[in-house]
């Protein structure tokens, strides 16, 4: 993938803000992938207190799991650029306009490296202060963001929004309903057979049409990924998902083991009515206290608990924190503004000094 092959026309699920500049970029990872990204920068004069010679604080954004930069991550990046940050929304390896074959494959290691490669890229930009870089991970990429923050001390502040722990849900099932050796063995047997029978079989795309008995959170996913609200042709969640065996490694890993050792600032943000809220709360409590329900590993109390925060947005569902929540005026693209953009900006401004 190179710049000439990237889609140059604006094809996001949200309108471009008049307050930012935007252009496409690419960068490489240590695994040899070329990642495609959208760079958003403030259009107006420098924010108060910023020095042009110092460079601006920057934020790398990705997620949700199976989504692309044209969806929620791009919106987050643009809103942060409106508030004075250089912001980079990228497609993960094997996804969207980024490189990697077979398509729609995922790996705890490769996806964590995707975030760290974004830090590499931002650190080399003339308009960025390399000592002031943070990240935002949305949905499954919230857990990946925490894993990256535990591994890479260049990350000075992290927001995990409406997060999933992809390793926990892959190995234990939703709400830990399959957290047993027999259940995991049965799942492993199925995936093992898939490797020979049909290694390119796809799964995970949002079901369409919805069955009458679909859980509310599945309806919420449909409302985002399968309507004009958030549908995008390059998004696996909007179309046919990701490779069945492409997430096999997630089911056999637990990658939040060391988040209780993150010294930098972390904000875990979740909706009060989100089905996934238990992921964020457990991650927060394990990060601060060294223990939490659903975690088989234990650790010591975090050395810097004072810069960790759990923010619950009342009445918000999982997908409300993708775009702020949708109103009935779909044709106008209006939202309920349930994402506290100024709060996020203040968090990064405080910790990216």
């Amino acid at each position: 993938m190179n710049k000439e092959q990237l889609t140059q026309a604006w094809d996001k699920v949200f309108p471009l803000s008049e307050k930012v500049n935007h252009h496409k970029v690419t960068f490489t990872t240590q695994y040899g992938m070329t990642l495609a990204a959208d760079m958003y920068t403030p259009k107006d004069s420098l924010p108060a207190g910023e020095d042009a010679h110092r460079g601006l604080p920057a934020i790398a954004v990705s997620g949700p799991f199976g989504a692309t930069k044209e969806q929620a991550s791009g919106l987050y990046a643009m809103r942060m650029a409106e508030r004075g940050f250089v912001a980079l929304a990228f497609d993960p390896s094997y996804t969207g306009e980024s490189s990697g074959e077979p398509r729609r494959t995922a790996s705890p290691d490769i996806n964590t490296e995707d975030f760290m490669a974004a830090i590499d890229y931002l650190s080399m930009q003339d308009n960025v202060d390399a000592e002031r870089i943070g990240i935002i991970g949305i949905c499954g990429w919230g857990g990946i963001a925490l894993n990256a923050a535990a591994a890479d001390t260049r990350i000075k502040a992290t927001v995990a929004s409406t997060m999933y722990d992809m390793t926990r849900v892959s190995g234990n099932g939703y709400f830990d309903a399959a957290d047993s050796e027999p259940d995991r063995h049965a799942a492993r047997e199925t995936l093992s057979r898939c490797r020979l029978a049909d290694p390119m079989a796809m799964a995970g795309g949002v079901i369409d049409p919805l069955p009458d008995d679909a859980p509310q959170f599945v309806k919420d996913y449909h409302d985002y990924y399968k309507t004009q609200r958030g549908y995008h042709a390059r998004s696996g969640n909007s179309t046919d998902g990701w490779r069945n065996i492409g997430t096999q490694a997630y089911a056999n890993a637990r990658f939040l083991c060391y988040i209780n050792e993150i010294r930098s600032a972390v904000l875990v943000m979740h909706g009060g009515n989100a089905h996934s809220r238990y992921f964020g709360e457990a991650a927060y409590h394990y990060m601060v206290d060294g223990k939490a329900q659903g975690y088989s590993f234990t650790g010591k109390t975090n050395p810097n608990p004072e810069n960790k925060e759990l923010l619950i947005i009342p009445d918000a569902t999982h997908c409300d924190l993708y775009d702020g929540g949708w109103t009935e005026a779909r044709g106008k693209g209006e939202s309920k503004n349930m994402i506290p953009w100024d709060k996020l900006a203040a968090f990064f401004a405080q910790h990216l000094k």
Side-chain angles (χ1 to χ4, degrees):
M1 189 69 68
N2 58 49
K3 293 180 181 178
E4 288 69 35
Q5 294 173 302
L6 299 181
T7 303
Q8 297 302 324
W10 183 262
D11 63 344
K12 320 305 176 194
V13 302
F14 52 89
L16 178 62
S17 168
E18 297 179 353
K19 299 178 181 180
V20 305
N21 294 313
H22 161 266
H23 64 281
K24 288 278 188 80
V25 301
T26 60
F27 56 94
T28 58
T29 77
Q30 294 298 313
Y31 286 101
M33 305 297 179
T34 298
L35 302 192
D38 288 300
M39 180 76 84
Y40 297 89
T41 56
K43 182 178 289 187
D44 296 333
S45 58
L46 285 173
E50 295 293 348
D51 182 352
H53 298 291
R54 182 186 184 193
L56 292 174
I59 303 169
V61 191
S62 198
F65 193 86
T68 64
K69 63 188 181 305
E70 286 72 33
Q71 296 169 310
S73 62
L75 178 64
Y76 271 70
M78 187 179 72
R79 293 294 183 235
M80 292 298 98
E82 288 178 333
R83 288 158 174 80
F85 300 88
V86 173
L88 183 77
F90 64 88
D91 282 334
S93 298
Y94 305 99
T95 302
E97 293 185 298
S98 291
S99 71
E101 295 288 344
R103 304 302 293 163
R104 298 182 189 158
T105 296
S107 157
D109 289 339
I110 291 175
N111 293 149
T112 301
E113 163 62 20
D114 289 343
F115 253 133
M116 295 192 288
I119 304 302
D120 296 341
Y121 179 79
L122 286 171
S123 298
M124 294 183 287
Q125 303 309 300
D126 291 339
N127 60 341
V128 170
D129 182 346
E131 297 300 317
R132 295 192 293 162
I133 298 178
I135 60 176
I136 298 174
I138 307 162
C139 186
W141 278 79
I144 297 166
L146 292 179
N147 196 46
D152 193 334
T153 59
R154 298 173 302 167
I155 298 170
K156 299 302 192 296
T158 301
V159 168
S161 177
T162 194
M163 70 161 279
Y164 266 48
D165 176 347
M166 290 303 300
T167 59
R168 180 176 176 181
V169 73
S170 297
N172 294 3
Y174 275 106
F175 312 111
D176 298 320
D179 185 15
S180 71
E181 187 277 337
D183 286 325
R184 275 189 286 274
H185 181 76
R188 290 165 183 158
E189 288 245 310
T190 298
L191 288 174
S192 297
R193 287 192 296 269
C194 282
R195 294 185 70 94
L196 295 179
D198 188 0
M200 297 306 297
M202 306 294 285
V206 175
I207 188 171
D208 186 40
L210 279 172
D212 293 337
D213 60 349
Q216 183 58 48
F217 76 92
V218 174
K219 295 178 181 178
D220 292 341
Y221 280 134
H222 187 280
D223 191 50
Y224 182 81
Y225 286 110
K226 290 294 190 178
T227 72
Q228 62 179 328
R229 174 183 175 186
Y231 175 85
H232 199 279
R234 289 194 295 272
S235 165
N237 293 343
S238 289
T239 52
D240 55 355
W242 48 86
R243 290 174 66 228
N244 243 338
I245 65 171
T247 58
Q248 189 173 18
Y250 271 100
N252 207 43
R254 293 294 179 270
F255 67 178
L256 299 189
C257 182
Y258 297 112
I259 63 172
N260 64 308
E261 297 179 359
I262 298 174
R263 297 188 181 187
S264 58
V266 177
L267 170 63
V268 177
M269 180 173 73
H270 234 109
N273 291 340
H275 71 284
S276 53
R277 177 175 171 175
Y278 73 103
F279 290 123
E281 290 182 327
Y284 170 78
H285 288 296
Y286 177 72
M287 182 168 46
V288 173
D289 304 325
K291 56 185 178 180
Q293 184 177 356
Y295 284 72
S296 59
F297 42 85
T298 60
K300 297 179 180 179
T301 302
N302 195 287
N304 294 100
E306 70 283 350
N307 61 7
K308 309 301 185 292
E309 183 177 353
L310 176 64
L311 175 63
I312 301 299
I313 308 300
D315 302 323
T317 66
H318 181 84
C319 292
D320 283 337
L321 299 190
Y322 285 5
D323 60 358
W326 200 246
T327 69
E328 294 303 317
R330 295 177 184 274
K332 297 180 181 179
E334 296 177 359
S335 72
K336 300 175 183 175
N337 298 317
M338 299 182 82
I339 300 173
W341 301 115
D342 290 338
K343 163 66 178 177
L344 299 187
F347 168 80
F348 283 113
Q350 176 184 356
H351 297 290
L352 300 181
K353 294 181 179 178

